[in-house]
Amino acid sequence: MIEIDVRGLSCPIPVVRTKQAMDQNPKEDISVLLDFEVAVENVTRLAQSRGYKVVRTDTDDGYELSLRL
Amino acid sequence: MRDLPQQSDPNLIAGAEGYEDAGVYKLSNDIALVQTLDFFTPIVDDAYTFGKIAVTNALSDVYAMGGRPLTAMNIVCFPATKMDLSILNRVLAGGLDKLQEAEVTLVGGHSVEDPELKYGLSVTGLIHPDKVVFNRGCVPGDRLILTKPLGTGIISTAIKAGMAGEKAIARAVYSMTALNKKAAELMLEVGVHACTDVTGFGLLGHACEMIEGTEAAIIIDSSAVPYIPEAREMADMGLVPGGTTRNRCFREVMVDMEPGLHIFVSDILFDPQTSGGLLISLPAEKAGELLDRLHQEGIVDAAIIGRVEAGPAGRIRVH
C-alpha cells in the first residue's frame, strides 16, 4: 500500500499527486489523505475512471481514501 | 459591495445593485456610457495568448449590454523582481492585438508590483440609453441561445494539472479569444429581450441571474448545450475546478436537475467560464434567424439550449 498525503494542497494538485502515484505504482493499492470534500470527490472520480475500488473513511482531521485494484 | 450604502443618481441606468454585466450612465437622451473592469491571473501558459484572453473577456461585458466599446486601459500586477519583463511585454502585445481586432483604442494603464502576475482592463463604451440589453427581461415563450461552448473551466484546471492535451487547449483558447462582438451585433439587429455573458458563475449561475425574483422559469435541454468535447474525459478524471462546487452550492436551491442525469451535466452547466459566450433570450420566432446568422458568421457552436416559461417563478429545470 502506497500512502500519499495531499492535505493542505488545493485543486487540482491532489488529483495530480494521486495520478503520479498511480503511474509510478501501477500494481499497488494507494491510500490518500485529504482535507476537503471537493478534493475527495475529484480523487474518487480519478480512481474510478482508472478502475480502482474506492473506500472512504472520515477521520478526525479529514478523509482517507483507500484506492484498491 | 452589498454592505456599502446605495447611491442614487437619476442618470444611472445600470449600477451595482443588480447583476448587470456593466455600468451604464446616461449622458444625454442619445448617449450613455458603458463601463466595466475585469482582471485575473493567467489561465494559460502562453503570455501572448493570456493577453488576448484577458481583452476578449473584458470587452465581453460591454457587448453583452448591447454597447460598443471605444477605449480601454490596462491594469497590470507584475512581480518585477522575479519575472522577466519580456513576459509582460508579450501579455500586453497579445492584449493590444486583440484590442485592434475589436477596433478599441488603448489609452493608457497602470501597473503595480505584486507577487503574482495579473492582467485585465477597464473598458469604456457607448450605447443608446433606450437600447440597453439587460440580463433581466426574459419573456415566457422565449428561446435561449448560447454562442460559445462550455468547458473552459475544466480545461483550465487540466492545464494547471499538466494533463490537458494539445487539442483541448487549442479548442479552449479558440473559444476564450473569440470576441463576442459579432454575436452582439447580430443580436441587436435581430432584436432580443435579454442577454448576459457566461463567466465565473457558470451557465446555470448566470441563467439564475436572468430570472431571479421574476415570475419566469427557464428550461434547459442539457443535450443541446454545446461543450468542448475533451472536457468530459477531464471531468471524469477529477479535473473539476473548485468554483464548480461553489457555483452549485450557491444556486442549487433554484435548480431542479432531472433525476438520472450524468454527473457531467452538473459539472459542465456549473463550470466557471473565462471569456464565455453570450446567453441570449429572444422571441421563439426570431431564434432560428439569429442562429442561422451566427452560424453563417462562423460562430458555429451557437445553439438553442432552452426556453423560458411562465413559471414556476424563478425556477430552472434541467432535463
Side-chain angles (χ1 to χ4, degrees):
Chain A
M1 173 85 81
I2 305 293
E3 281 192 13
I4 58 171
D5 184 351
V6 294
R7 288 174 295 184
L9 301 171
S10 60
C11 283
I13 305 302
V15 167
V16 174
R17 293 279 172 85
T18 307
K19 181 172 175 293
Q20 284 169 348
M22 290 171 168
D23 291 343
Q24 286 161 11
N25 309 280
K27 293 178 182 165
E28 297 245 26
D29 292 350
I30 299 171
S31 162
V32 189
L33 297 176
L34 309 106
D35 58 2
F36 65 106
E37 185 70 37
V38 173
V40 171
E41 281 176 29
N42 284 338
V43 169
T44 299
R45 291 175 72 171
L46 170 69
Q48 286 171 343
S49 75
R50 294 194 152 211
Y52 290 82
K53 183 170 176 286
V54 180
V55 179
R56 167 182 166 152
T57 310
D58 291 11
T59 63
D60 289 343
D61 55 350
Y63 313 86
E64 180 183 357
L65 290 180
S66 181
L67 314 181
R68 296 173 188 167
L69 286 164
Chain B
M1 296 245 318
R2 68 180 175 201
D3 294 332
L4 296 176
Q6 298 257 327
Q7 290 178 295
S8 68
D9 185 321
N11 293 315
L12 190 62
I13 295 173
E17 73 285 357
Y19 295 115
E20 292 304 335
D21 299 306
V24 181
Y25 191 87
K26 185 174 166 181
L27 299 177
S28 72
N29 287 337
D30 300 322
I31 296 180
L33 272 183
V34 188
Q35 293 176 289
T36 182
L37 180 159
D38 206 346
F39 69 117
F40 44 64
T41 54
I43 48 164
V44 292
D45 294 331
D46 181 64
Y48 178 80
T49 303
F50 171 53
K52 291 208 293 186
I53 292 170
V55 166
T56 310
N57 181 70
L59 296 178
S60 179
D61 285 329
V62 179
Y63 295 131
M65 302 295 294
R68 181 166 62 91
L70 280 186
T71 60
M73 303 183 87
N74 283 332
I75 301 159
V76 174
C77 302
F78 191 72
T81 53
K82 60 175 186 177
M83 200 179 267
D84 194 302
L85 208 57
S86 66
I87 293 173
L88 178 58
N89 288 339
R90 294 292 294 156
V91 172
L92 298 182
L96 185 60
D97 281 354
K98 193 46 87 173
L99 285 170
Q100 283 174 334
E101 179 191 330
E103 299 175 312
V104 174
T105 303
L106 184 69
V107 294
H110 187 77
S111 61
V112 295
E113 172 87 25
D114 192 83
E116 193 173 27
L117 171 63
K118 302 178 187 79
Y119 173 57
L121 301 99
S122 156
V123 182
T124 301
L126 295 180
I127 194 167
H128 191 289
D130 301 331
K131 293 180 181 168
V132 180
V133 183
F134 297 99
N135 57 18
R136 301 296 181 92
C138 291
V139 175
D142 277 4
R143 295 294 180 269
L144 294 172
I145 289 180
L146 176 65
T147 66
K148 287 186 185 180
L150 303 177
T152 58
I154 292 169
I155 295 192
S156 299
T157 303
I159 291 172
K160 276 187 205 145
M163 289 158 71
E166 276 180 28
K167 199 169 168 187
I169 296 171
R171 282 177 189 265
V173 165
Y174 176 82
S175 178
M176 292 188 289
T177 57
L179 290 170
N180 283 329
K181 181 174 193 261
K182 194 72 209 178
E185 287 168 7
L186 294 174
M187 144 180 115
L188 293 173
E189 284 176 29
V190 170
V192 304
H193 287 142
C195 175
T196 189
D197 62 340
V198 179
T199 52
F201 295 121
L203 175 75
L204 287 178
H206 292 282
C208 283
E209 290 177 351
M210 293 178 99
I211 57 161
E212 186 175 32
T214 75
E215 296 301 311
I218 282 177
I219 314 293
I220 302 280
D221 174 5
S222 61
S223 67
V225 176
Y227 64 88
I228 298 169
E230 289 82 357
R232 179 156 194 153
E233 183 193 344
M234 291 172 190
D236 284 344
M237 289 171 65
L239 295 169
V240 178
T244 306
T245 302
R246 288 194 292 277
N247 289 342
R248 189 184 297 132
C249 290
F250 180 44
R251 288 302 190 180
E252 64 189 351
V253 292
M254 286 178 68
V255 177
D256 301 309
M257 289 274 187
E258 186 177 281
L261 287 175
H262 192 279
I263 186 174
F264 177 70
V265 172
S266 173
D267 291 337
I268 199 77
L269 297 185
F270 281 113
D271 188 44
Q273 302 301 286
T274 298
S275 190
L278 299 181
L279 177 60
I280 298 165
S281 182
L282 79 172
E285 62 273 18
K286 292 182 176 179
E289 181 195 347
L290 180 56
L291 193 66
D292 287 346
R293 294 183 67 183
L294 287 164
H295 290 168
Q296 283 162 17
E297 289 292 340
I299 305 168
V300 294
D301 289 301
I304 297 173
I305 61 157
R307 63 183 191 274
V308 180
E309 292 196 343
R315 303 294 305 174
I316 294 187
R317 198 172 83 228
V318 179
H319 65 83

